[in-house]
Amino acid sequence: MMARKTAVPTEPVASTPERILQAAERLFSERGIDGVSLREITSAADVNSAAAHYHFGSKYAVLEALFALRARPIIERREEMLGQLKLDRHGRPVLEDVLRAFLQPALDLLNSPDGVTFTLLRARMVLERGDVKHQVMARTFDRTNRKTLKMLAKALPRLPARDLYWRFHFMLGTMVYTMAQPGRIESVTKGQIKTSDTESALEQLVRFTAAGFRAA
């Protein structure tokens, strides 16, 4: 009696839109948005140009779809954590809890290969100029940014709005630089500090930014 062959599970084949988004993410993160054409994306995805135009229409539509897809876990987790904030005896959220709710979902994304690539793309987007790119970032993150600012204002009711906005701006810069993992602190400390340790990075970020928000 012949032994039955065990079927080897195969990975699901990515759809055409998925292949286009995967190729775009890799190329955008390596060369920036302006350094990549839609034709290069379709070539890397091994699909024809007509498919890209059918599913997306333009390079910037690909970029927006990519941001909507990759940022969804960050946004959903951030809103969940902000919605679960406990209040102190004065009826205010604790500053460190608000900061952790904002920062943790972004840093957690670094624990997956797709998250690392998206983070590099996001860092490039912050540095690159262009109204379309800024609009994509705004449509993706503005809602949770505003919600976080409201929670920060409740946690720090005496802090003037102008100072709150500046300090939020500095926190964004610190967060994105940490997520980009440029390797500078690893070089300076000869490897004693590793920004790839996202748990330690998060705790240090929360402490550092909390001190900044509380500064006179």
Side-chain angles (χ1 to χ4, degrees):
M1 185 175 180
M2 294 180 64
R4 292 182 180 178
K5 292 183 178 180
T6 303
V8 178
T10 57
E11 293 185 4
V13 178
S15 67
T16 297
E18 289 172 338
R19 287 158 60 190
I20 293 171
L21 290 175
Q22 289 167 0
E25 184 173 39
R26 177 174 55 81
L27 292 174
F28 286 155
S29 66
E30 291 173 354
R31 292 158 48 189
I33 312 305
D34 294 334
V36 178
S37 67
L38 187 59
R39 184 180 295 276
E40 288 174 308
I41 293 171
T42 56
S43 177
D46 195 23
V47 301
N48 58 50
S49 298
H53 284 286
Y54 173 77
H55 289 289
F56 298 103
S58 71
K59 177 177 73 173
Y60 290 109
V62 173
L63 176 66
E64 186 150 14
L66 179 58
F67 255 75
L69 175 67
R70 294 289 188 239
R72 188 178 301 126
I74 300 175
I75 293 168
E76 290 177 352
R77 180 61 176 148
R78 190 175 278 167
E79 290 190 337
E80 179 185 4
M81 293 179 72
L82 287 171
Q84 295 175 348
L85 291 173
K86 295 180 180 179
L87 304 181
D88 64 15
R89 61 189 179 89
H90 300 292
R92 302 169 188 159
V94 177
L95 176 60
E96 284 80 359
D97 292 345
V98 179
L99 297 174
R100 187 170 284 104
F102 182 80
L103 295 165
Q104 183 174 334
L107 267 70
D108 281 350
L109 199 67
L110 291 170
N111 295 322
S112 69
D114 287 340
V116 172
T117 306
F118 177 69
T119 298
L120 292 175
L121 169 59
R122 189 176 172 187
R124 277 190 174 274
M125 289 277 287
V126 169
L127 296 174
E128 288 189 359
R129 296 187 181 277
D131 290 341
V132 174
K133 285 168 277 189
H134 291 171
Q135 288 165 13
V136 169
M137 291 282 283
R139 280 193 288 268
T140 304
F141 292 113
D142 272 9
R143 187 176 68 180
T144 53
N145 282 10
R146 291 193 181 103
K147 186 174 290 188
T148 303
L149 280 166
K150 287 181 180 179
M151 292 297 105
L152 289 170
K154 289 181 179 179
L156 299 165
R158 296 182 181 179
L159 184 66
R162 181 179 176 81
D163 291 340
L164 179 70
Y165 298 152
W166 270 115
R167 294 173 196 197
F168 186 78
H169 164 77
F170 295 137
M171 179 179 69
L172 288 177
T174 307
M175 179 188 74
V176 173
Y177 187 80
T178 300
M179 290 168 59
Q181 299 179 358
R184 292 302 308 129
I185 196 64
E186 284 84 349
S187 176
V188 171
T189 64
K190 297 184 178 179
Q192 293 181 56
I193 300 297
K194 296 184 183 298
T195 48
S196 58
D197 179 358
T198 54
E199 187 174 338
S200 294
L202 173 63
E203 293 310 312
Q204 293 290 343
L205 263 174
V206 169
R207 276 185 270 175
F208 178 79
T209 52
F213 274 103
R214 286 196 176 102

